[in-house]
Amino acid sequence: MRTLSIELKKEKRTGIIPVLFTTGILGAAYAFVNFLFRRDTLLSLPLAPTDVLLTQLYGVIMILNMFGILAAACMIYNMEFKGNAVKKMYLLPVSVTEMYLCKFMILTVMLFLAIVLQNLALMKIGMTDLPPGTFDLGSLIKFTLYSFLTSMPVLSFELLVSSRSENMWIPLGVGVAGFLSGMAFGTTKTGFFLIDPFVVMLKPAVSMSARPDVTVIGIALMETLLFLGIGLWMAKNLRYE
């Protein structure tokens, strides 16, 4: 708890909390504006109204979330490298491994809150603008968790890259390259490309159904734990030079 308290105080200065909160607000606002202008077009699609609401609006929201994650991950370790602060941590009664884990937890909670804000906007649209009796709240709750879980591999991967890169442009460049790879391979049916965390994050946006894909969820969980485990191992065993 002590390390978490210290990290929260530090993150107030990095700006990651406003970045991810703003991501949630922008995603919610986009959902309202998009549905306002495209309501008739969207509801004319040969899909269930709830599927239309969740899948057709999620594409841009997903892109906002991805770049919110990239920005936050780049910023969260940038302060640690200034003045060689991260190297001095080894001389203090502070666990670098706990510091890494706390950063991961803070990013995870803020991302979850952003996604909840966005899906509250979708819920409001579904309850007031979809044809009566067609909105399925259960599907929205499942999709909220699905979109959150499929975003976690990108978050854990970008945090790992950021933690080993003194230059914040490196994780940003890796993130942009990952985004392009996701756009290139996100629609493919080949399961091999799911090793790319950016492809995993894109999957809910390219699906025509809001029903979660169990295979994608399983891969997302494995990749999240893998990248988190590697990051914790590096923080413990590879000292910053």
Side-chain angles (χ1 to χ4, degrees), residues 9-195:
K9 291 177 181 178
K10 288 196 292 186
E11 304 326 328
K12 290 179 180 179
R13 300 183 61 185
T14 62
I16 69 156
I17 292 176
V19 163
L20 289 173
F21 184 74
T22 302
T23 299
I25 296 296
L26 289 176
Y30 164 80
F32 281 121
V33 173
N34 190 307
F35 197 84
L36 175 66
F37 287 99
R38 298 179 60 210
R39 182 180 187 277
D40 293 336
T41 301
L42 291 173
L43 292 180
S44 66
L45 294 173
L47 298 171
T50 299
D51 286 341
V52 169
L53 175 67
L54 299 179
T55 62
Q56 301 305 304
L57 297 183
Y58 181 65
V60 173
I61 292 175
M62 181 277 302
I63 293 174
L64 286 172
N65 291 347
M66 184 178 292
F67 280 97
I69 291 171
L70 299 186
C74 290
M75 295 163 62
I76 199 168
Y77 256 99
N78 185 50
M79 185 172 69
E80 305 293 353
F81 288 108
K82 290 183 177 179
N84 294 323
V86 71
K87 298 177 184 178
K88 298 173 184 176
M89 290 288 183
Y90 291 103
L91 303 177
L92 300 174
V94 176
S95 169
V96 178
T97 304
E98 287 184 12
M99 182 182 76
Y100 185 96
L101 183 60
C102 287
K103 289 181 185 295
F104 175 81
M105 291 171 58
I106 292 169
L107 285 175
T108 299
V109 171
M110 289 308 303
L111 174 64
F112 182 72
L113 291 177
I115 291 176
V116 167
L117 281 175
Q118 295 160 357
N119 283 274
L120 285 175
L122 295 177
M123 182 178 71
K124 178 64 168 63
I125 295 170
M127 295 176 66
T128 59
D129 295 308
L130 290 186
T134 60
F135 176 63
D136 185 350
L137 180 59
S139 294
L140 182 136
I141 293 173
K142 292 177 183 178
F143 189 82
T144 301
L145 295 174
Y146 183 42
S147 56
F148 168 68
L149 291 174
T150 52
S151 301
M152 287 303 297
V154 171
L155 185 150
S156 57
F157 174 71
E158 279 297 309
L159 179 62
L160 168 61
V161 176
S162 179
S163 70
R164 311 312 302 184
S165 307
E166 186 171 350
N167 187 336
M168 69 181 298
W169 292 104
I170 294 177
L172 182 60
V174 170
V176 171
F179 167 72
L180 295 176
S181 70
M183 297 298 291
F185 303 116
T187 58
T188 182
K189 301 295 185 181
T190 305
F192 170 78
F193 292 108
L194 289 175
I195 63 174

Side-chain angles (χ1 to χ4, degrees), residues 146 149-150 153 200 213-225:
Y146 183 42
L149 291 174
T150 52
V200 173
D213 187 321
V214 177
T215 301
V216 174
I217 291 176
I219 292 174
L221 291 173
M222 287 190 293
E223 290 185 354
T224 301
L225 294 174

